[in-house]
Amino acid sequence: MFHPRRTLRALLLPLAAGLALTALPAQSAHAASTLTNAGFESNGTGTTTPTGWSTYSAGGQTAASFTESGGHAGSYRLTHYSASAYKVETYQYLSGLTNGNYKLTAWVRSGGGQNSAYLALKNCGGAEQRTDIPVSSSGWIRIVTPVAVTNNQCTISINSDAKAGNWINVDDLTFTSGTAGLPIKGSDVSSLAKSEAKGGVYKNSSGTTGDALAILKSAGQNYARLKVWVNPADGYNNKARVLATAKRVKAQGMKLLVDFHYSDTWADPGAQSKPAAWAGHSYSQLKTDVYNHTYDVLNALKAQGTTADMVQVGNEINGGMLWNEGSTSNWSQLAGLLNSGYDAVKAVNSGTTVALHLAKGGDLAGTRWWFDSAVSNGVKFDVIGLSYYGYWHGTLADFQTTLDDAATRYGKPVYLAETAYPFRLDSKDSHENIIDLSSELVSGYPASTAGQTQWMKDVASIVEAVPNGRGLGIFYWESTWTAVTGNGWDPTDPSSGNGWENQALFGYDDRALPAMAWFSHR
């Protein structure tokens, strides 16, 4: 006689012994080709094993998984929580599936702190696929997990390995045909040439000195971003230096994003100063300046066989660029400058993607206002880039809302143009770090190599989940900017320090950090 419970226990014994669980029984009550009770609405509150689902805990802590009120869309949700440490899995087995590509989508929240908390697709015929649950104690976040089903079945699994008091909420799952992933896994390496010239050294994780670009490539980086200043005081990040580094980028098989600042120094929401060579130029002349400079740099790149794959016309241009003529207080003029840049990019190579880049990636209203204004003024662009630093720009849920809205509202692909996170708080040089207090951190993400790694995994999951496959990917800022004497923040002051070395992807021992693992995101 078939005893489902006894059979399940026999199968789960190897798991308790630390071995991989390779199969789950096709329990007749649960086996289906579509998810049952995917919104946890069937049982009300306090149900440990909701209709259609099974619960397992090696330590007998199945009570840590239960339904309760407060759903994402409906009335109820699944929660994992216990006042003592626990390990629990809530799962559902699907059978009779047509082989092919599938995507699990779920809405999640978490208070953080777990050893691990993730959604998994396993026993589907290939490698298990996981997506960690981001730390978000208030706003719901949508995550996706893709898988290739090759054996007509798959197990949807919700897992917690948690400390006392840790919790997650999961709700409104869907399992449908589809794929996911990030085409762009990049970083900004604008600091690299000067760092090397000043003695900077880069090592792989085992301590062997090597080419930083090769180390990043071996970790999975497939795209590099280089900024261009017009006539910087230190002679770096200008046309000649960008040309030289672009050769190295392309030699690694990476694609190239060229980021025009249209300045001699940093351009960002607080500063968009004209290059000295363009000072006093009329608006009409500035349009020509933008065109000629953009064309000149990109055409030189093309001529040496390193054509730009993507170009940012401006850097963090929330307030416009080339102040005051190109300020957002005069949108028609800003539009003219942006279109000059666009036209120059396309004149060199029609296949190069043109991006417009704003900061404040959690600012829905501000992002809408800016791009609504751009569209109404006839600005031409292909994709939208947003900077998002969690310690400045709102919650992860704010970021997802803004990114999703930009993709949907304007019908354009989107990417995370800049993000970073500290792996420690103390400074390696005498210059104070921009983020150096625990009070400045994002809740749930410590300033540690683990915290930095988790941050990158979680923002990657948000970009991956943008609807209709419009999430292109991420550029980390700034992977190679380690503390090297002479390579400080101010191109006019050789003695200036670096306030960012605790957010590089190479540690204070110059070794590649664990956070580089995000480059291998599917």
Side-chain angles (χ1 to χ4, degrees):
M1 185 177 176
F2 177 62
H3 294 283
R5 186 166 295 170
R6 185 176 301 160
T7 306
L8 180 61
R9 186 178 299 123
L11 277 164
L12 292 175
L13 283 172
L15 179 65
L19 302 175
L21 180 61
T22 56
L24 286 164
Q27 295 165 300
S28 57
H30 295 178
S33 60
T34 56
L35 274 173
T36 301
N37 192 22
F40 303 100
E41 296 296 305
S42 299
N43 309 101
T45 61
T47 302
T48 298
T49 305
T51 299
W53 295 86
S54 301
T55 306
Y56 170 71
S57 172
Q61 300 151 312
T62 54
S65 171
F66 54 92
T67 56
E68 63 178 348
S69 59
H72 165 256
S75 300
Y76 305 101
R77 66 193 184 208
L78 179 76
T79 292
H80 286 181
Y81 166 81
S82 177
S84 55
Y86 63 95
K87 293 183 183 181
V88 70
E89 175 188 16
T90 310
Y91 65 92
Q92 186 166 157
Y93 168 81
L94 299 181
S95 63
L97 295 170
T98 302
N99 287 339
N101 293 319
Y102 289 82
K103 182 169 69 174
L104 176 72
T105 302
W107 289 90
V108 299
R109 299 194 299 194
S110 172
Q114 298 90 346
N115 299 316
S116 62
Y118 60 91
L119 303 186
L121 297 173
K122 57 188 185 180
N123 312 318
C124 311
E128 176 178 328
Q129 296 295 316
R130 293 183 178 182
T131 304
D132 291 338
I133 296 176
V135 180
S136 179
S137 58
S138 55
W140 289 91
I141 290 176
R142 187 184 62 260
I143 59 174
V144 298
T145 312
V147 75
V149 173
T150 59
N151 62 354
N152 305 111
Q153 64 184 15
C154 197
T155 298
I156 285 81
S157 174
I158 303 163
N159 286 266
S160 292
D161 177 355
K163 304 180 182 74
N166 294 163
W167 61 270
I168 62 169
N169 300 147
V170 179
D171 206 359
D172 295 336
L173 294 92
T174 60
F175 187 71
T176 57
S177 295
T179 59
L182 295 179
I184 295 174
K185 295 174 276 276
S187 78
D188 194 303
V189 293
S190 299
S191 63
L192 179 59
K194 188 174 180 181
S195 174
E196 291 170 332
K198 302 295 181 183
V201 172
Y202 299 89
K203 301 177 180 179
N204 65 17
S205 57
S206 59
T208 303
T209 299
D211 177 358
L213 291 175
I215 293 167
L216 290 163
K217 173 66 186 297
S218 68
Q221 176 170 313
N222 64 8
Y223 227 116
R225 179 183 189 244
L226 295 174
K227 70 169 173 270
V228 188
W229 288 337
V230 177
N231 188 24
D234 62 358
Y236 286 88
N237 302 117
N238 59 10
K239 175 185 168 183
R241 302 285 187 179
V242 167
L243 287 168
T245 305
K247 283 186 178 179
R248 296 173 57 187
V249 165
K250 292 282 188 167
Q252 292 293 339
M254 295 182 195
K255 291 187 174 182
L256 173 65
L257 166 58
V258 178
D259 173 20
F260 284 94
H261 283 231
Y262 301 113
S263 182
D264 293 333
T265 187
W266 302 98
D268 56 44
Q272 294 283 340
S273 54
K274 287 196 278 289
W278 305 357
H281 285 193
S282 66
Y283 167 67
S284 178
Q285 181 62 44
L286 288 171
K287 282 199 294 183
T288 303
D289 292 333
V290 168
Y291 186 96
N292 289 346
H293 170 62
T294 305
Y295 187 95
D296 178 49
V297 173
L298 296 179
N299 196 50
L301 284 166
K302 180 181 177 181
Q304 71 170 13
T306 60
T307 301
D309 299 283
M310 193 186 326
V311 168
Q312 286 182 197
V313 177
N315 186 76
E316 295 190 331
I317 51 176
N318 298 58
M321 64 187 198
L322 295 167
W323 289 346
N324 289 313
E325 287 81 357
S327 161
T328 49
S329 61
N330 192 332
W331 255 103
S332 62
Q333 289 195 171
L334 174 57
L337 295 169
L338 293 172
N339 283 339
S340 273
Y342 179 96
D343 291 344
V345 175
K346 298 297 184 177
V348 173
N349 179 50
S350 61
T352 297
T353 300
V354 177
L356 296 180
H357 170 211
L358 301 187
K360 304 181 184 177
D363 179 7
L364 174 64
T367 301
R368 271 189 179 182
W369 171 83
W370 200 97
F371 278 99
D372 281 358
S373 301
V375 170
S376 66
N377 280 277
V379 176
K380 296 176 282 189
F381 62 99
D382 302 321
V383 303
I384 292 170
L386 298 177
S387 296
Y388 172 66
Y389 296 99
Y391 36 72
W392 292 329
H393 296 152
T395 66
L396 286 167
D398 292 336
F399 172 53
Q400 180 166 71
T401 299
T402 306
L403 196 66
D404 289 357
D405 184 77
T408 303
R409 189 175 181 89
Y410 307 106
K412 302 286 188 182
V414 295
Y415 67 100
L416 177 46
E418 295 181 19
T419 193
Y421 207 76
F423 59 90
R424 58 196 291 169
L425 291 174
D426 61 311
S427 183
K428 191 183 181 188
D429 63 11
S430 59
H431 191 83
E432 182 181 4
N433 288 337
I434 291 174
I435 301 297
D436 64 349
L437 299 173
S438 56
S439 60
E440 295 171 315
L441 298 172
V442 180
S443 178
Y445 297 90
S448 63
T449 56
Q452 183 187 50
T453 303
Q454 194 63 47
W455 177 261
M456 290 311 299
K457 284 184 177 180
D458 292 347
V459 292
S461 294
I462 286 173
V463 179
E464 185 181 24
V466 172
N468 301 309
R470 289 196 174 114
L472 290 180
I474 299 173
F475 290 91
Y476 191 90
W477 200 90
E478 217 256 25
S479 59
T480 58
W481 199 15
T482 52
V484 175
T485 301
N487 192 23
W489 69 272
D490 186 353
T492 69
D493 179 7
S495 68
S496 65
N498 179 357
W500 206 262
E501 74 270 17
N502 66 326
Q503 300 193 64
L505 290 180
F506 292 87
Y508 288 7
D509 58 0
D510 300 320
R511 294 190 185 200
L513 289 166
M516 280 194 199
W518 87 266
F519 287 123
S520 297
H521 189 95
R522 54 185 171 253

